[in-house]
Amino acid sequence: MIIAIDGPAAAGKGTLSRQIAETYGFQHLDTGLTYRATAKALLDAGLPLDNEEVAEKIAREVELAGLDREVLSAHAIGEAASKIAVMPAVRRALVEAQRTFSQRKPGTVLDGRDIGTVVCPDAAVKLYVTASPEVRAKRRYDEILGRGGEADFAEIFADVQKRDERDMGRADSPLRPAEDAHLLDTSEMSIEAAFQAAKVIIDAALKK
């Protein structure tokens, strides 16, 4: 069984995906980390971020098992990842790897921007998790402060809007809900409430 979870940055889809995978004993892949891992490998090797051929070669070598979220969440890696994520050859290489991962037993949960529309269009369950830009920026702001960091809310809010624009406006695999996706707006919803709503949808699909 494949569960596809899409949505913009900081909508809560990562937390929700991990909770679903844990509850059902499925394997989980945060597909955004596959782009970040590719970017990190390029940075570590001192390779250029604007050479599509080199980036594709590195993308094909990325090991999907054990991607370290903590390490890969560094801002510089995110910036580099956004540059290579627009390259069609890199996207093709990583989508292939993500599709292969989706076939793992007993089932998989993949979260990202184009899982239900591009990577796994035949997924048994598709969820589109969203929230208002203000709420998402506030979550990110609180998260940084919670880790003891310093943050500027206006800067984060602008960053969230810029990222949405880039994700929704790109020519290749833009961020949008699949036609048969269930919409979960978490703006005024706790993660537990979102999980319970998702569980009802998943349980119904498992009974089919």
PDB file of all heavy atoms in Angstrom, residues 12 26 36 65 85 97-98 105 131 140 145 156-157 176 194 199 203:
ATOM      1  N   GLY A  12       2.995  20.647   8.116  1.00  0.00           N
ATOM      2  CA  GLY A  12       2.861  19.549   9.077  1.00  0.00           C
ATOM      3  C   GLY A  12       2.892  18.176   8.437  1.00  0.00           C
ATOM      4  O   GLY A  12       2.687  17.169   9.105  1.00  0.00           O
ATOM      5  N   PHE A  26       4.653   1.025   8.286  1.00  0.00           N
ATOM      6  CA  PHE A  26       5.091   1.227   6.903  1.00  0.00           C
ATOM      7  C   PHE A  26       6.450   1.924   6.881  1.00  0.00           C
ATOM      8  O   PHE A  26       6.871   2.525   7.856  1.00  0.00           O
ATOM      9  CB  PHE A  26       4.074   2.084   6.135  1.00  0.00           C
ATOM     10  CG  PHE A  26       2.778   1.384   5.812  1.00  0.00           C
ATOM     11  CD1 PHE A  26       1.746   2.067   5.170  1.00  0.00           C
ATOM     12  CD2 PHE A  26       2.578   0.051   6.142  1.00  0.00           C
ATOM     13  CE1 PHE A  26       0.544   1.433   4.873  1.00  0.00           C
ATOM     14  CE2 PHE A  26       1.376  -0.601   5.843  1.00  0.00           C
ATOM     15  CZ  PHE A  26       0.357   0.106   5.209  1.00  0.00           C
ATOM     16  N   ARG A  36      17.913  17.267  -0.961  1.00  0.00           N
ATOM     17  CA  ARG A  36      18.898  17.845  -0.042  1.00  0.00           C
ATOM     18  C   ARG A  36      20.157  16.974   0.034  1.00  0.00           C
ATOM     19  O   ARG A  36      21.261  17.495   0.110  1.00  0.00           O
ATOM     20  CB  ARG A  36      18.279  18.018   1.354  1.00  0.00           C
ATOM     21  CG  ARG A  36      17.314  19.209   1.426  1.00  0.00           C
ATOM     22  CD  ARG A  36      16.585  19.273   2.764  1.00  0.00           C
ATOM     23  NE  ARG A  36      15.837  20.507   2.874  1.00  0.00           N
ATOM     24  CZ  ARG A  36      16.262  21.604   3.489  1.00  0.00           C
ATOM     25  NH1 ARG A  36      17.458  21.604   4.061  1.00  0.00           N
ATOM     26  NH2 ARG A  36      15.516  22.693   3.558  1.00  0.00           N
ATOM     27  N   ALA A  65      18.321   5.040   2.082  1.00  0.00           N
ATOM     28  CA  ALA A  65      18.196   4.530   3.458  1.00  0.00           C
ATOM     29  C   ALA A  65      18.999   5.420   4.391  1.00  0.00           C
ATOM     30  O   ALA A  65      20.134   5.787   4.093  1.00  0.00           O
ATOM     31  CB  ALA A  65      18.708   3.100   3.523  1.00  0.00           C
ATOM     32  N   ALA A  85      16.775  21.242  -7.715  1.00  0.00           N
ATOM     33  CA  ALA A  85      15.434  20.639  -7.808  1.00  0.00           C
ATOM     34  C   ALA A  85      14.679  21.065  -9.071  1.00  0.00           C
ATOM     35  O   ALA A  85      13.701  20.430  -9.451  1.00  0.00           O
ATOM     36  CB  ALA A  85      14.612  20.982  -6.572  1.00  0.00           C
ATOM     37  N   ALA A  97      14.114   6.733  -8.231  1.00  0.00           N
ATOM     38  CA  ALA A  97      14.530   6.162  -6.938  1.00  0.00           C
ATOM     39  C   ALA A  97      13.363   6.147  -5.955  1.00  0.00           C
ATOM     40  O   ALA A  97      13.160   5.185  -5.212  1.00  0.00           O
ATOM     41  CB  ALA A  97      15.698   6.969  -6.374  1.00  0.00           C
ATOM     42  N   GLN A  98      12.569   7.220  -5.972  1.00  0.00           N
ATOM     43  CA  GLN A  98      11.410   7.315  -5.064  1.00  0.00           C
ATOM     44  C   GLN A  98      10.350   6.266  -5.425  1.00  0.00           C
ATOM     45  O   GLN A  98       9.748   5.653  -4.537  1.00  0.00           O
ATOM     46  CB  GLN A  98      10.817   8.733  -5.131  1.00  0.00           C
ATOM     47  CG  GLN A  98      11.738   9.793  -4.519  1.00  0.00           C
ATOM     48  CD  GLN A  98      11.430  11.200  -5.016  1.00  0.00           C
ATOM     49  OE1 GLN A  98      10.389  11.456  -5.621  1.00  0.00           O
ATOM     50  NE2 GLN A  98      12.353  12.129  -4.770  1.00  0.00           N
ATOM     51  N   LYS A 105       7.903  -3.401   0.979  1.00  0.00           N
ATOM     52  CA  LYS A 105       6.874  -4.048   1.795  1.00  0.00           C
ATOM     53  C   LYS A 105       7.052  -3.625   3.259  1.00  0.00           C
ATOM     54  O   LYS A 105       8.140  -3.272   3.662  1.00  0.00           O
ATOM     55  CB  LYS A 105       7.021  -5.584   1.681  1.00  0.00           C
ATOM     56  CG  LYS A 105       6.859  -6.120   0.268  1.00  0.00           C
ATOM     57  CD  LYS A 105       5.383  -6.192  -0.097  1.00  0.00           C
ATOM     58  CE  LYS A 105       5.164  -6.829  -1.459  1.00  0.00           C
ATOM     59  NZ  LYS A 105       5.376  -5.958  -2.589  1.00  0.00           N
ATOM     60  N   ALA A 131      -1.787  24.669   5.072  1.00  0.00           N
ATOM     61  CA  ALA A 131      -2.118  25.623   6.143  1.00  0.00           C
ATOM     62  C   ALA A 131      -1.808  27.003   5.574  1.00  0.00           C
ATOM     63  O   ALA A 131      -1.081  27.120   4.584  1.00  0.00           O
ATOM     64  CB  ALA A 131      -1.275  25.360   7.393  1.00  0.00           C
ATOM     65  N   ARG A 140       7.400  27.640  11.832  1.00  0.00           N
ATOM     66  CA  ARG A 140       8.845  27.581  11.572  1.00  0.00           C
ATOM     67  C   ARG A 140       9.597  28.494  12.546  1.00  0.00           C
ATOM     68  O   ARG A 140      10.643  28.137  13.066  1.00  0.00           O
ATOM     69  CB  ARG A 140       9.094  27.996  10.120  1.00  0.00           C
ATOM     70  CG  ARG A 140      10.518  27.832   9.691  1.00  0.00           C
ATOM     71  CD  ARG A 140      10.608  27.310   8.285  1.00  0.00           C
ATOM     72  NE  ARG A 140      10.343  25.889   8.187  1.00  0.00           N
ATOM     73  CZ  ARG A 140      10.323  25.222   7.046  1.00  0.00           C
ATOM     74  NH1 ARG A 140      10.526  25.851   5.928  1.00  0.00           N
ATOM     75  NH2 ARG A 140      10.084  23.934   7.035  1.00  0.00           N
ATOM     76  N   LEU A 145      13.117  29.096  17.414  1.00  0.00           N
ATOM     77  CA  LEU A 145      13.293  29.620  18.773  1.00  0.00           C
ATOM     78  C   LEU A 145      13.356  28.478  19.785  1.00  0.00           C
ATOM     79  O   LEU A 145      14.142  28.512  20.729  1.00  0.00           O
ATOM     80  CB  LEU A 145      12.144  30.567  19.149  1.00  0.00           C
ATOM     81  CG  LEU A 145      12.029  31.887  18.374  1.00  0.00           C
ATOM     82  CD1 LEU A 145      10.975  32.775  19.022  1.00  0.00           C
ATOM     83  CD2 LEU A 145      13.350  32.643  18.328  1.00  0.00           C
ATOM     84  N   ILE A 156      11.061  34.985   7.724  1.00  0.00           N
ATOM     85  CA  ILE A 156      10.572  33.616   7.527  1.00  0.00           C
ATOM     86  C   ILE A 156       9.291  33.624   6.701  1.00  0.00           C
ATOM     87  O   ILE A 156       9.107  32.817   5.797  1.00  0.00           O
ATOM     88  CB  ILE A 156      10.340  32.913   8.887  1.00  0.00           C
ATOM     89  CG1 ILE A 156      11.691  32.702   9.584  1.00  0.00           C
ATOM     90  CG2 ILE A 156       9.624  31.578   8.710  1.00  0.00           C
ATOM     91  CD1 ILE A 156      11.600  32.231  11.016  1.00  0.00           C
ATOM     92  N   PHE A 157       8.403  34.585   6.993  1.00  0.00           N
ATOM     93  CA  PHE A 157       7.134  34.698   6.259  1.00  0.00           C
ATOM     94  C   PHE A 157       7.414  34.960   4.768  1.00  0.00           C
ATOM     95  O   PHE A 157       6.826  34.323   3.892  1.00  0.00           O
ATOM     96  CB  PHE A 157       6.288  35.824   6.858  1.00  0.00           C
ATOM     97  CG  PHE A 157       4.951  35.997   6.194  1.00  0.00           C
ATOM     98  CD1 PHE A 157       4.045  34.941   6.139  1.00  0.00           C
ATOM     99  CD2 PHE A 157       4.583  37.212   5.617  1.00  0.00           C
ATOM    100  CE1 PHE A 157       2.798  35.093   5.518  1.00  0.00           C
ATOM    101  CE2 PHE A 157       3.345  37.362   4.996  1.00  0.00           C
ATOM    102  CZ  PHE A 157       2.453  36.304   4.948  1.00  0.00           C
ATOM    103  N   ARG A 176       0.744  20.939  -6.455  1.00  0.00           N
ATOM    104  CA  ARG A 176      -0.720  21.111  -6.523  1.00  0.00           C
ATOM    105  C   ARG A 176      -1.358  19.820  -6.024  1.00  0.00           C
ATOM    106  O   ARG A 176      -0.744  18.749  -6.092  1.00  0.00           O
ATOM    107  CB  ARG A 176      -1.187  21.421  -7.954  1.00  0.00           C
ATOM    108  CG  ARG A 176      -0.862  20.351  -8.964  1.00  0.00           C
ATOM    109  CD  ARG A 176      -1.301  20.700 -10.368  1.00  0.00           C
ATOM    110  NE  ARG A 176      -0.798  19.745 -11.350  1.00  0.00           N
ATOM    111  CZ  ARG A 176      -1.345  18.566 -11.604  1.00  0.00           C
ATOM    112  NH1 ARG A 176      -2.442  18.184 -10.964  1.00  0.00           N
ATOM    113  NH2 ARG A 176      -0.820  17.763 -12.509  1.00  0.00           N
ATOM    114  N   ALA A 194      -5.193  16.139  12.963  1.00  0.00           N
ATOM    115  CA  ALA A 194      -4.865  15.855  11.555  1.00  0.00           C
ATOM    116  C   ALA A 194      -4.610  14.362  11.383  1.00  0.00           C
ATOM    117  O   ALA A 194      -5.047  13.746  10.401  1.00  0.00           O
ATOM    118  CB  ALA A 194      -3.635  16.659  11.133  1.00  0.00           C
ATOM    119  N   LYS A 199      -6.246   9.013   9.552  1.00  0.00           N
ATOM    120  CA  LYS A 199      -6.435   7.607   9.926  1.00  0.00           C
ATOM    121  C   LYS A 199      -7.780   7.080   9.416  1.00  0.00           C
ATOM    122  O   LYS A 199      -7.873   5.948   8.924  1.00  0.00           O
ATOM    123  CB  LYS A 199      -6.349   7.464  11.446  1.00  0.00           C
ATOM    124  CG  LYS A 199      -6.183   6.026  11.923  1.00  0.00           C
ATOM    125  CD  LYS A 199      -5.890   5.998  13.422  1.00  0.00           C
ATOM    126  CE  LYS A 199      -5.675   4.566  13.911  1.00  0.00           C
ATOM    127  NZ  LYS A 199      -6.834   3.700  13.714  1.00  0.00           N
ATOM    128  N   ASP A 203      -7.817   3.945   6.978  1.00  0.00           N
ATOM    129  CA  ASP A 203      -8.523   2.730   7.408  1.00  0.00           C
ATOM    130  C   ASP A 203      -9.592   2.317   6.394  1.00  0.00           C
ATOM    131  O   ASP A 203      -9.784   1.126   6.117  1.00  0.00           O
ATOM    132  CB  ASP A 203      -9.150   2.917   8.799  1.00  0.00           C
ATOM    133  CG  ASP A 203      -8.094   2.963   9.905  1.00  0.00           C
ATOM    134  OD1 ASP A 203      -6.933   2.597   9.630  1.00  0.00           O
ATOM    135  OD2 ASP A 203      -8.409   3.386  11.027  1.00  0.00           O
TER     136      ASP A 203
END
